[in-house]
Amino acid sequence: MLGLRKAAQSGLRFYSSAVHIQTVGVIGSGQMGSGIAQVLAQVAKRNVILVDSKKESIEKSLININNLLTKQLNKGNITEAEKSATLSRISFSDDIKSVKDADMVIEAIVENPEIKSKLFQELAAICKPGAILASNTSSISITQISANTKTPENVIGMHFMNPVQVMKLVEVIPALGTSQNTVDVTLQLAKEMGKTTTLSKDMPGFIANRLLMPYINEAVQAFDEGLGTLEHIDTTMLLGCNMPMGPLALADFIGLDTCYSIMNILHTQLGDKYRPAPLLKRYVEAGRLGKKVGHGFYLYK
């Protein structure tokens, strides 16, 4: 009790683990944000406010969520009532101030340190006292992000895997100043979303991308050197190492711009061992970003 009293006197605000997260704001209605919103509403049965400054992105998100739920309905995995209930829990907005009363806000925007830091600074000013602010970043320092708020104890990393509706893992990353209460509440919410969690130290790439991205980067370098064709490199890893997807096809699925961004962060902070493959850079410069634009290492219809 003495420790909590001293913390309160110093101006720190802790979010009690006994408090139930009822409403969650999600910033960014792209593939990751839409997936997070859907699972929160469908599995965890939380009210969700999905925010994006682009109205066309919001409209696309609503269509995608509805289509995915319809597929589940047609397969007999959910009922019409469950589909309707899920959609009723999600509201859409192009105004960031709409999350001011949310118990928790999860950011899922572009993987850019400056843009994320600016957003968290804005959220800290908008959100109610004690609200947890989580970032879905895949590689950026949570401590760096939390430094832009006056309540770093409420900031945490919550790295979902893509696609969120299918992948079972969430990496939880406490920052240097994250309170244990924030960690506990985040772990509990992830569990109620049907996810398995791992805890990672706040290091570049965390666990998943610290291991995955160098693997993809080496495959790009091997392809550039003519070690094998696209198909032969991917098939070797697919059938020879029992990977669920070849590294180059996986890079296309993730987005070559995202892979390049993460490799740049690893390279800058961890050294030359993580230098991005030159071919990866050229593909990004050429706009061949992967499946989302129809052309990466492979050509998509």
Side-chain angles (χ1 to χ4, degrees):
M1 289 298 292
L2 180 61
L4 284 175
R5 190 176 298 116
K6 284 183 177 179
Q9 289 170 351
S10 69
L12 294 179
R13 295 176 294 186
F14 288 94
Y15 197 105
S16 171
S17 58
V19 174
H20 183 64
I21 299 290
Q22 295 179 321
T23 301
V24 183
V26 178
I27 310 297
S29 64
Q31 189 172 14
M32 294 302 294
S34 294
I36 293 168
Q38 181 183 334
V39 175
L40 278 166
Q42 183 178 2
V43 182
K45 294 179 171 50
R46 296 306 200 273
N47 294 320
V48 182
I49 305 164
L50 185 55
V51 180
D52 200 299
S53 59
K54 298 178 180 178
K55 291 184 178 181
E56 61 270 22
S57 182
I58 292 174
E59 292 170 2
K60 183 178 179 182
S61 175
L62 175 58
I63 292 169
N64 288 340
I65 292 173
N66 184 70
N67 288 344
L68 288 169
L69 290 171
T70 299
K71 285 183 180 180
Q72 292 182 35
L73 178 65
N74 292 338
K75 290 180 179 179
N77 295 331
I78 61 172
T79 65
E80 186 65 53
E82 288 171 329
K83 176 188 173 183
S84 297
T86 296
L87 291 172
S88 71
R89 295 187 190 106
I90 306 174
S91 60
F92 298 81
S93 175
D94 60 356
D95 184 2
I96 193 171
K97 291 181 181 178
S98 62
V99 302
K100 63 184 178 63
D101 294 322
D103 303 304
M104 183 174 190
V105 178
I106 302 173
E107 164 273 314
I109 63 170
V110 63
E111 191 73 353
N112 181 293
E114 289 76 23
I115 295 175
K116 286 186 187 292
S117 294
K118 183 178 179 182
L119 172 63
F120 271 74
Q121 190 174 18
E122 189 175 2
L123 288 172
I126 291 171
C127 294
K128 66 182 182 181
I132 293 176
L133 305 180
S135 175
N136 182 52
T137 178
S138 56
S139 59
I140 298 168
S141 167
I142 305 301
T143 301
Q144 177 186 348
I145 292 172
S146 69
N148 293 275
T149 73
K150 294 181 179 179
T151 55
E153 68 276 9
N154 295 334
V155 180
I156 195 165
M158 199 176 187
H159 179 212
F160 291 84
M161 305 296 136
N162 187 24
V164 181
Q165 297 91 333
V166 176
M167 302 296 281
K168 291 295 184 182
L169 183 73
V170 174
E171 278 186 305
V172 174
I173 309 99
L176 188 62
T178 304
S179 74
Q180 188 59 48
N181 279 334
T182 297
V183 175
D184 292 343
V185 171
T186 303
L187 290 172
Q188 180 60 31
L189 181 63
K191 180 180 179 181
E192 292 180 33
M193 293 174 74
K195 303 300 183 184
T196 298
T197 56
T198 56
L199 280 169
S200 172
K201 188 177 179 180
D202 188 16
M203 295 284 288
F206 316 131
I207 296 172
N209 283 323
R210 173 73 176 266
L211 302 178
L212 176 64
M213 286 302 159
Y215 159 67
I216 289 176
N217 194 60
E218 188 61 29
V220 176
Q221 185 63 33
F223 173 60
D224 194 21
E225 294 173 0
L227 181 65
T229 64
L230 289 173
E231 293 79 5
H232 287 178
I233 290 173
D234 275 356
T235 301
T236 297
M237 300 310 296
L238 191 70
L239 302 181
C241 298
N242 205 29
M243 296 293 188
M245 186 181 290
L248 299 171
L250 179 57
D252 275 356
F253 182 76
I254 294 169
L256 302 191
D257 51 340
T258 301
C259 294
Y260 181 61
S261 175
I262 295 171
M263 285 305 303
N264 269 324
I265 290 170
L266 295 175
H267 180 220
T268 300
Q269 299 189 33
L270 298 177
D272 209 51
K273 174 182 176 182
Y274 299 92
R275 182 183 296 276
L279 184 62
L280 181 60
K281 180 182 179 181
R282 293 202 299 273
Y283 271 46
V284 171
E285 290 173 340
R288 293 174 59 169
L289 306 182
K291 192 172 183 179
K292 60 187 175 184
V293 297
H295 196 184
F297 289 107
Y298 293 91
L299 193 60
Y300 302 88
K301 292 184 180 179

